[in-house]
Amino acid sequence: MIQNQEYIQEFVEEAKGHLETLESILIRVDEMKSNPELINEVFRAVHSIKGTAGFFGLKNIVSLSHAMENVFGEIRNGKFSIDDETADVMLKSNDCLKDLIDHVGESENMTIDSCLHDLKELLNNAGKVKAQEPSPDITVRSSEGKTITFCGSNVLMIQDGIRQGYKIYEIKLRFNRDLLNYDNGPVRLFKNIQQVGQLVDTVMDHSEINSFEDVLASLDGADNDIYLGIVVTTALDTARLSAAIQIPEKNIIPMDVKNAEVPVSESPVKCDRRDNTVKPAATVPAVKANPEAADSVKPQKITPPALSIKMEDSIRVNVQILNELMNMASEMVLGRNQLLRTLENYKKTIPGLAPILQNVDRLTSGMQEKIMQTRMQPVANVFNKFPRIIRDISKKLHKEIELKIDGADVELDKSMIEALGDPITHLVRNAADHGLESPEDREKAGKSRIGSISLKAYHEGGFVNIDVTDDGGGLNVEKIKQKALETSLVSRTEIENMNEQDVFKLIFKPGFSTADKVTDISGRGVGMDVVKTNIEKLGGSIEIYSSAGKGTTIRLVLPLTLAIIQSLIVETGGQVFALPQVNMKEIVRIKVQDSNKIEHINGADVIRLRGKLLPIVYLADIIKTAGNQKNSEAKPEVAIIIVIKIGVIRFGIAVHSILESEETLVKPLPQALKGCVCYSGVTILGDGKTAMILDPEGIIKAAKLKNSTRLMDEASADTETTNDADIEQQDLLLFQCSGNEIFALDMSLVARVEEITLCQIDKVGSKEFFQYRGDTMRIIRPEEFLPVNSEQLTAEKMVVIIPKLVSHPMGILARQIVDNVKTVVNLNTGDLKAKGLLGSILHNGRIVLLLQLYELFGLADPDHYPSESRKVSCDYQLLLAEDTPFFQKITKEYLDEAGYRVTVVPNGKAALECLEHEKFDAVISDINMPIMDGLELVRRIKDNPALTDIPVIALTSLTGESNEKYGINSGFDYYEYKLDRDHLLNTLDMALNKKNGGEIAC
Amino acid sequence: MQIIIKNGTATCMAAVELTVTGINQMVADVKKALDGREDFDTICVDLSKTINIDSMGLTFLIGLYKTYSAQGKKIKLTGYNDALFDIFKIMKFDELFELSK
């Protein structure tokens, strides 16, 4: 009989927790055999469910949990030991119990006969199996000196009480003398006790009532009575317990917890294992237990593994209240935004307003964040069910599978956690069924028989990523293509134009499956499309990484919460929109005069962003705000392009302007707008107006971007891979001096860029200086030393580029910074050759001049940068391994100038071949190189006794202490940064000196 | 207390209140109906009407058990509500009586 929905819900929540505990223990059969405490734990869990279900009259739940409790009781009492078969039955019963609890309202109509039968069979077979050691009994001693021995489940309750730091009491009552006038009788008494503590056991002695005559005598006031002893554990002291249960203190006898004892010899106080009840010595009532008898027991202290007092540091709160709190906090954020917007203009005129607003702002954000945290739950809530699932699947599939779980403590919003269970289950089952090969096939492939599936949760860039990884055969691209064609999911033309990622994503198409046979695990072609839909509903995305023969990782990228998101408020066509910032990578501004930067390729507008083509979507076009206007009119003259990256798709959304960044509350779309894929919701802005929240995924669909993005990638790839050997990109700072020429300096040579006005420049003689960090620094104008145009600089504001990796830094005065680009450098050294210039490159159709900084400084300051650099007196032969022509050239120049003979090779493999045939005094090697990198090269050199004496210097762009440490640990003798000529030459001197024992040996 | 003997079972219909005020009468009713009769081997106390029981009511049940179990009769309690069932379990009446809802 279900009496109160609120309490029932509480029971359901509590029971689910117990069931999780049960399941997590039941799958650890081996551990259970050796750790009796685990049996106790499952017993406690089932016992708690049974107890509360009984209170609500849930007979089926009581019956099943009772039957399970019996089995656990027999295991704990040593009647038989748990094995795989027993665990299977118990897990099945656990599932059934879970089902009953999940559908508690209908639980009375559900059938549990099969489970009850299986459990009964287990008990029937109990005697045939080897017994375990029985669990110890507990004897407690009262302050009166009386002892009581507890056994069976009562031991657990006593131990629980001790763990919680509770006190143990025996409430001694004469039934009619003490209880006859008790308000509402014994029913109320027991309820009162259960409200303030745990009723462990009762002991009743009715030896004075042997007939109706005794009953009538008792009624007439004779001494004949029933004696009742009630053992309870509670946090209350005697006085408070007395007040709570309305029983005089004299009837409440404390049992000294410190005297909790385990008898080592047979106790004179008998324990009936059949019903797990307390039996005082002989049939003497509990209150008359014989202290002398108990004293003869030699006690042994209980080992206190779990005796530490655990204070309650959490409370159970109804989720509905949290939801309401969250809604209110979200509305408060809106209110805060409106308040700040409204009072913005009064901050200066009303004294003290600014700090008040700041405080309100801070507190509102803090409160919203904390309330959000209350809804956060660890992904362990999802992950914890997988050990069981993997156990079952591995048995069914006859595969040996090891499950690794990492990051189970990462937290996500409760609604996300609840929605993640099914998608991850699909992925794990697929990984086990399709991903992992059979043990035999794995052995043939040189792998361990045991396949591995790992679940890993971690934070990355404001998202939580969940990786489901298997070390199986990986996705078979050709098989996916073939199946997709067979089932007409895509056309042949479409599939021919697909890249690997596109092919992988076919597995998310409804009805797609590459499974050769349908099993009850997977293979029906349903699941992966549901996974994708569910994850996208959560505002997340899916990425697939797969390597043939090595395995597959499916990554779920999820937002932390759905309620409030950081958005960029943008305006286009006179309308304001909120664009979630989670997928935003950068913002590019294109001025009117640079409108030619927008090109038209493959039917789409694109810009070249650091050498890659980026398709542009005009928001005005997509949302049709322009109405009857032509699209071209809707396009902004000065475009703000917000670069978005979702999975592997990268594109730009062009808007008129960006107003601000704001925390926006996501409200569901009105029914009328449900069909608009470009919107994910609606919000209210700080000024009180509503704004649609844009959905970048929807914009991709609306703009049909997938194909064009792929074509862009191919076009970009064409541009970038004209020379395979030339794939490393340089990070260049582009700037203009007084003329129109564009100069470039490698970013690794730039320390800072400072803004400067003309009046900050002081002239001393013919040289110019400015104040930099409390000191003076010379400024040079490159156009004065190079064969380029030179004009009068009239701009009020200019910039000074402060270089690094030079012995005497001088600032380079420039009119403006043009851009910072990462590009492949195809250096032209023939047409524009001059001292101070390395050569030229073409970038976006314009000539860019690359500065040779040391030569330029040599021209400006020959005292510190002599044109004749130091020359080594010996004929040293150096091997330079470097894949990038730009660095090959510049490094070789330094070394040639210093008098070394240099052989240049493009990778580690070529370097090793050279070392086999020629003798070198030192090797200088880049780290990141194709075919064989520098780390492998140095390992091979140091492993070869014939080469191990040759000093090997790393010359790399990988800065930072950890990189340097890693390089040295890998075997490099020295670690130098590219373009730092002086350091490299000094290190070479040192290395060669050391190699030759400090003497010059030519 | 209404008592019917049929098919070897004496069914005792307990009142709404099984409390101190009705004990004398109940004892008298039972003794009058059952003493000296041999045509029953089971006493079934039907508690389906009973909503309140006090310590004397419980004592009465124990007295009934002690009196008639000594004569080899089986004593059953039936029809009780959840509250009564809880107290019967706590008092371990299941060790004395056959409990059946």
Side-chain angles (χ1 to χ4, degrees):
Chain A
M1 183 194 298
I2 295 179
Q3 295 126 338
N4 189 315
Q5 280 307 322
E6 194 183 328
Y7 292 131
I8 285 280
Q9 194 49 43
E10 205 167 302
F11 159 67
V12 168
E13 293 300 323
E14 196 177 292
K16 281 181 177 172
H18 289 311
L19 289 172
E20 273 178 31
T21 307
L22 257 170
E23 187 170 289
S24 68
I25 294 174
L26 282 172
I27 57 172
R28 289 142 61 193
V29 174
D30 290 339
E31 217 178 314
M32 282 176 89
K33 286 178 186 166
S34 58
N35 185 357
E37 181 51 32
L38 289 178
I39 300 278
N40 292 340
E41 209 171 319
V42 287
F43 191 93
R44 273 196 293 271
V46 174
H47 186 74
S48 301
I49 293 172
K50 187 182 95 171
T52 319
F55 178 77
F56 291 115
L58 299 165
K59 286 177 230 158
N60 270 352
I61 296 177
V62 171
S63 300
L64 184 56
S65 48
H66 180 73
M68 291 170 75
E69 192 185 38
N70 281 344
V71 174
F72 288 129
E74 294 299 72
I75 295 170
R76 195 195 49 202
N77 291 339
K79 291 280 173 64
F80 65 103
S81 63
I82 189 154
D83 56 13
D84 267 357
E85 194 189 337
T86 316
D88 283 343
V89 174
M90 299 314 285
L91 281 167
K92 186 183 155 198
S93 306
N94 193 50
D95 289 344
C96 185
L97 199 51
K98 204 184 287 179
D99 220 23
L100 292 174
I101 285 162
D102 282 343
H103 307 94
V104 70
E106 299 93 52
S107 64
E108 291 304 282
N109 303 322
M110 294 162 77
T111 175
I112 56 170
D113 295 346
S114 158
C115 284
L116 290 178
H117 173 263
D118 292 348
L119 290 167
K120 198 176 168 190
E121 282 296 299
L122 273 184
L123 285 177
N124 290 341
N125 295 331
K128 300 171 190 169
V129 192
K130 192 185 165 189
Q132 286 181 325
E133 283 296 306
S135 60
D137 303 336
I138 285 185
T139 301
V140 293
R141 187 192 299 264
S142 77
S143 55
E144 294 176 336
K146 180 172 69 94
T147 59
I148 299 179
T149 296
F150 294 93
C151 60
S153 58
N154 295 334
V155 172
L156 303 177
M157 283 195 273
I158 291 288
Q159 282 175 337
D160 269 352
I162 294 170
R163 276 192 201 97
Q164 304 282 339
Y166 290 170
K167 299 174 179 66
I168 304 172
Y169 297 100
E170 184 190 9
I171 302 165
K172 299 195 305 181
L173 299 166
R174 285 183 65 177
F175 218 58
N176 291 313
R177 193 187 69 188
D178 297 323
L179 278 185
L180 195 54
N181 295 319
Y182 195 87
D183 197 15
N184 282 327
V187 175
R188 170 52 57 190
L189 170 70
F190 290 123
K191 280 192 177 163
N192 285 347
I193 290 172
Q194 283 167 324
Q195 277 173 1
V196 295
Q198 171 85 44
L199 198 155
V200 179
D201 204 358
T202 54
V203 183
M204 193 168 58
D205 176 22
H206 38 71
S207 56
E208 291 179 6
I209 303 291
N210 290 308
S211 64
F212 272 150
E213 280 64 41
D214 292 335
V215 175
L216 295 174
S218 172
L219 198 61
D220 289 341
D223 272 350
N224 305 50
D225 212 336
I226 296 169
Y227 293 84
L228 182 68
I230 309 165
V231 179
V232 296
T233 62
T234 175
L236 302 183
D237 59 24
T238 313
R240 287 196 174 91
L241 179 62
S242 165
I245 63 173
Q246 294 161 39
I247 292 290
E249 278 189 54
K250 66 181 173 57
N251 292 81
I252 302 172
I253 312 300
M255 312 294 288
D256 195 349
V257 175
K258 286 178 189 167
N259 286 347
E261 294 152 3
V262 180
V264 289
S265 59
E266 193 185 346
S267 170
V269 186
K270 296 294 179 192
C271 168
D272 183 352
R273 290 200 182 278
R274 180 177 55 81
D275 58 10
N276 294 332
T277 54
V278 174
K279 297 278 191 219
T283 53
V284 183
V287 287
K288 296 177 181 173
N290 183 354
E292 286 76 26
D295 287 345
S296 66
V297 177
K298 188 179 176 185
Q300 175 190 312
K301 288 280 178 194
I302 296 175
T303 47
L307 280 182
S308 61
I309 293 173
K310 180 184 154 197
M311 301 300 290
E312 286 290 334
D313 55 1
S314 63
I315 56 166
R316 195 181 290 270
V317 179
N318 190 315
V319 174
Q320 190 55 36
I321 294 174
L322 289 183
N323 289 344
E324 285 165 15
L325 211 52
M326 185 70 197
N327 286 340
M328 284 193 275
S330 304
E331 295 290 346
M332 197 161 171
V333 168
L334 277 184
R336 184 268 319 262
N337 292 350
Q338 289 172 348
L339 181 74
L340 294 182
R341 181 73 68 88
T342 308
L343 295 180
E344 177 66 32
N345 297 330
Y346 299 95
K347 272 189 189 169
K348 286 179 183 164
T349 51
I350 302 175
L353 180 63
I356 292 171
L357 290 180
Q358 198 178 11
N359 211 19
V360 169
D361 185 13
R362 185 177 57 82
L363 290 173
T364 309
S365 291
M367 192 182 74
Q368 187 259 331
E369 194 184 316
K370 288 291 170 201
I371 292 174
M372 207 175 82
Q373 276 176 14
T374 63
R375 290 175 49 89
M376 299 298 263
Q377 292 188 321
V379 288
N381 289 0
V382 181
F383 284 2
N384 282 352
K385 69 175 180 177
F386 288 104
R388 163 75 190 283
I389 289 175
I390 289 292
R391 178 184 184 272
D392 292 350
I393 293 178
S394 59
K395 277 192 166 185
K396 275 188 184 164
L397 297 174
H398 306 293
K399 289 181 179 177
E400 294 167 50
I401 305 172
E402 176 193 32
L403 177 70
K404 294 173 188 163
I405 289 179
D406 194 12
D409 54 346
V410 170
E411 290 187 327
L412 273 169
D413 190 272
K414 179 180 164 60
S415 56
M416 305 270 275
I417 292 283
E418 284 164 359
L420 274 173
D422 285 348
I424 299 180
T425 305
H426 277 298
L427 295 176
V428 168
R429 291 166 81 94
N430 269 346
D433 199 4
H434 304 320
L436 295 179
E437 315 92 328
S438 69
E440 296 73 30
D441 288 347
R442 290 180 65 85
E443 274 186 336
K444 279 180 202 162
K447 294 179 176 179
S448 151
R449 280 179 68 84
I450 303 169
S452 164
I453 292 178
S454 79
L455 292 170
K456 182 180 177 186
Y458 56 99
H459 287 272
E460 191 177 74
F463 286 84
V464 167
N465 291 354
I466 295 180
D467 287 358
V468 180
T469 304
D470 67 72
D471 70 344
L475 292 177
N476 186 329
V477 175
E478 289 311 312
K479 196 170 178 182
I480 295 172
K481 281 183 177 177
Q482 191 190 334
K483 284 275 179 179
L485 285 173
E486 281 171 12
T487 48
S488 305
L489 285 174
V490 284
S491 69
R492 190 166 288 282
T493 321
E494 280 176 308
I495 216 154
E496 279 168 4
N497 285 323
M498 283 182 170
N499 60 22
E500 195 179 59
Q501 274 294 328
D502 292 335
V503 175
F504 287 164
K505 293 212 166 174
L506 284 174
I507 66 173
F508 293 120
K509 290 264 185 190
F512 183 88
S513 174
T514 56
D516 295 325
K517 58 180 179 183
V518 172
T519 67
D520 57 353
I521 308 287
S522 57
R524 292 187 180 84
V526 290
M528 292 304 269
D529 61 318
V530 178
V531 170
K532 184 168 182 282
T533 311
N534 287 355
I535 297 301
E536 285 176 354
K537 269 186 200 163
L538 296 174
S541 60
I542 303 186
E543 296 168 12
I544 305 175
Y545 304 91
S546 186
S547 176
K550 290 184 179 169
T552 303
T553 294
I554 297 192
R555 177 167 301 158
L556 311 181
V557 183
L558 301 157
L560 286 170
T561 183
L562 303 172
I564 290 213
I565 53 170
Q566 193 71 31
S567 296
L568 208 59
I569 310 302
V570 301
E571 183 268 330
T572 208
Q575 280 194 31
V576 175
F577 300 90
L579 179 64
Q581 281 179 223
V582 286
N583 301 111
M584 205 181 88
K585 291 297 157 195
E586 60 184 304
I587 299 170
V588 178
R589 185 165 178 263
I590 297 181
K591 295 183 211 162
V592 185
Q593 62 266 32
D594 294 332
S595 58
N596 59 350
K597 281 190 172 177
I598 299 180
E599 303 169 42
H600 201 71
I601 296 178
N602 291 323
D605 280 358
V606 299
I607 59 166
R608 287 179 191 272
L609 190 61
R610 287 189 283 282
K612 278 210 159 193
L613 294 177
L614 183 81
I616 305 297
V617 173
Y618 294 92
L619 188 56
D621 285 356
I622 290 294
I623 56 169
K624 311 285 185 210
T625 52
N628 293 329
Q629 281 180 296
K630 289 177 184 174
N631 284 349
S632 58
E633 288 171 2
K635 290 174 187 172
E637 286 181 346
V638 179
I640 306 284
I641 293 169
I642 300 159
V643 181
I644 303 286
K645 184 171 182 289
I646 297 177
V648 293
I649 296 177
R650 221 168 124 263
F651 71 106
I653 300 177
V655 299
H656 277 106
S657 59
I658 292 172
L659 303 178
E660 61 185 321
S661 173
E662 197 169 291
E663 282 179 339
T664 50
L665 168 66
V666 181
K667 287 178 171 286
L669 273 179
Q671 196 59 37
L673 291 173
K674 288 276 185 200
C676 298
V677 292
C678 296
Y679 305 126
S680 59
V682 64
T683 189
I684 301 165
L685 299 176
D687 58 7
K689 290 178 183 166
T690 54
M692 304 305 294
I693 300 172
L694 296 169
D695 179 3
E697 288 263 12
I699 291 175
I700 291 173
K701 285 178 194 154
K704 298 184 173 67
L705 258 182
K706 283 191 174 171
N707 286 336
S708 58
T709 306
R710 186 180 47 74
L711 293 171
M712 295 307 132
D713 288 346
E714 284 170 8
S716 302
D718 289 346
T719 318
E720 287 166 22
T721 56
T722 48
N723 180 356
D724 283 345
D726 198 12
I727 48 173
E728 189 171 334
Q729 293 187 326
Q730 257 73 69
D731 197 1
L732 299 177
L733 183 70
L734 307 187
F735 58 95
Q736 281 182 307
C737 295
S738 59
N740 285 328
E741 294 87 353
I742 297 176
F743 296 97
L745 202 54
D746 194 279
M747 277 301 284
S748 60
L749 286 167
V750 178
R752 283 179 66 81
V753 176
E754 293 275 330
E755 234 180 30
I756 189 173
T757 57
L758 272 176
C759 62
Q760 286 177 274
I761 300 173
D762 296 319
K763 208 159 187 178
V764 180
S766 61
K767 295 175 182 169
E768 291 175 303
F769 296 87
F770 86 117
Q771 299 280 326
Y772 177 65
R773 293 186 173 179
D775 207 347
T776 55
M777 179 182 277
R778 189 179 160 191
I779 292 175
I780 63 161
R781 301 181 188 232
E783 62 270 36
E784 290 178 0
F785 307 100
L786 301 172
V788 294
N789 290 318
S790 178
E791 291 172 21
Q792 182 73 29
L793 269 179
T794 54
E796 181 55 29
K797 281 191 175 174
M798 291 172 287
V799 292
V800 177
I801 300 162
I802 317 287
K804 63 181 179 183
L805 305 181
V806 288
S807 51
H808 290 84
M810 292 185 282
I812 298 168
L813 190 66
R815 189 177 76 219
Q816 63 172 355
I817 299 296
V818 175
D819 205 350
N820 169 211
V821 297
K822 208 161 188 174
T823 186
V824 176
V825 173
N826 289 315
L827 199 60
N828 180 340
T829 53
D831 301 330
L832 283 162
K833 191 157 177 65
K835 209 163 179 67
L837 286 179
L838 272 170
S840 64
I841 60 167
L842 266 179
H843 179 69
N844 285 353
R846 295 204 60 181
I847 294 170
V848 175
L849 303 173
L850 259 71
L851 293 181
Q852 212 304 6
L853 197 62
Y854 296 98
E855 286 182 358
L856 178 64
F857 281 7
L859 293 169
D861 185 5
D863 292 343
H864 287 112
Y865 297 90
S867 57
E868 283 296 312
S869 70
R870 54 192 170 176
K871 288 269 187 186
V872 285
S873 50
C874 297
D875 185 21
Y876 284 121
Q877 177 79 20
L878 304 182
L879 179 61
L880 172 65
E882 169 64 65
D883 60 318
T884 313
F886 170 77
F887 288 117
Q888 279 177 358
K889 176 178 164 48
I890 200 164
T891 312
K892 187 171 184 304
E893 271 186 21
Y894 299 155
L895 298 171
D896 284 346
E897 272 182 18
Y900 295 103
R901 285 193 297 119
V902 185
T903 302
V904 181
V905 289
N907 57 56
K909 187 165 180 270
L912 277 179
E913 284 165 6
C914 271
L915 284 165
E916 277 177 23
H917 303 107
E918 285 182 62
K919 189 171 176 295
F920 291 93
D921 296 291
V923 176
I924 301 167
S925 173
D926 186 14
I927 289 183
N928 288 328
M929 290 184 291
I931 303 172
M932 183 191 288
D933 65 17
L935 297 170
E936 183 61 24
L937 169 65
V938 74
R939 278 185 207 116
R940 301 266 189 108
I941 292 174
K942 295 300 175 187
D943 284 348
N944 186 339
L947 303 175
T948 192
D949 289 340
I950 302 176
V952 187
I953 302 167
L955 189 64
T956 175
S957 308
L958 300 173
T959 56
E961 200 177 324
S962 59
N963 283 324
E964 188 167 340
K965 201 171 170 185
Y966 188 68
I968 296 295
N969 287 341
S970 299
F972 283 108
D973 298 297
Y974 305 92
Y975 195 92
E976 292 298 333
Y977 298 140
K978 284 178 180 176
L979 301 178
D980 193 346
R981 180 188 68 172
D982 292 346
H983 261 111
L984 176 63
L985 294 178
N986 286 339
T987 301
L988 257 177
D989 271 356
M990 188 165 59
L992 292 167
N993 262 335
K994 193 177 169 190
K995 184 194 170 202
N996 297 318
E999 293 173 15
I1000 306 296
C1002 300
Chain B
M1 181 178 261
Q2 189 185 358
I3 298 159
I4 302 164
I5 301 175
K6 194 176 175 185
N7 300 331
T9 298
T11 303
C12 308
M13 292 296 296
V16 174
E17 295 224 325
L18 199 58
T19 58
V20 63
T21 50
I23 296 299
N24 267 327
Q25 186 60 51
M26 284 190 290
V27 170
D29 290 346
V30 171
K31 283 168 76 77
K32 185 180 170 190
L34 303 183
D35 281 1
R37 292 190 64 159
E38 297 293 331
D39 55 343
F40 69 96
D41 56 13
T42 302
I43 298 173
C44 175
V45 183
D46 185 339
L47 296 157
S48 53
K49 288 183 184 167
T50 307
I51 55 171
N52 190 20
I53 193 165
D54 66 4
S55 59
M56 208 63 224
L58 293 166
T59 308
F60 164 78
L61 292 176
I62 288 175
L64 178 79
Y65 169 79
K66 289 285 184 82
T67 303
Y68 292 100
S69 65
Q71 298 171 22
K73 312 291 184 194
K74 193 163 77 177
I75 322 294
K76 279 170 73 172
L77 303 181
T78 64
Y80 41 80
N81 65 24
D82 290 340
L84 291 185
F85 176 66
D86 281 347
I87 202 162
F88 291 159
K89 287 291 285 181
I90 291 170
M91 300 281 293
K92 295 177 183 156
F93 269 26
D94 53 339
E95 292 174 19
L96 308 177
F97 303 93
E98 184 183 323
L99 298 180
S100 163
K101 266 196 170 178

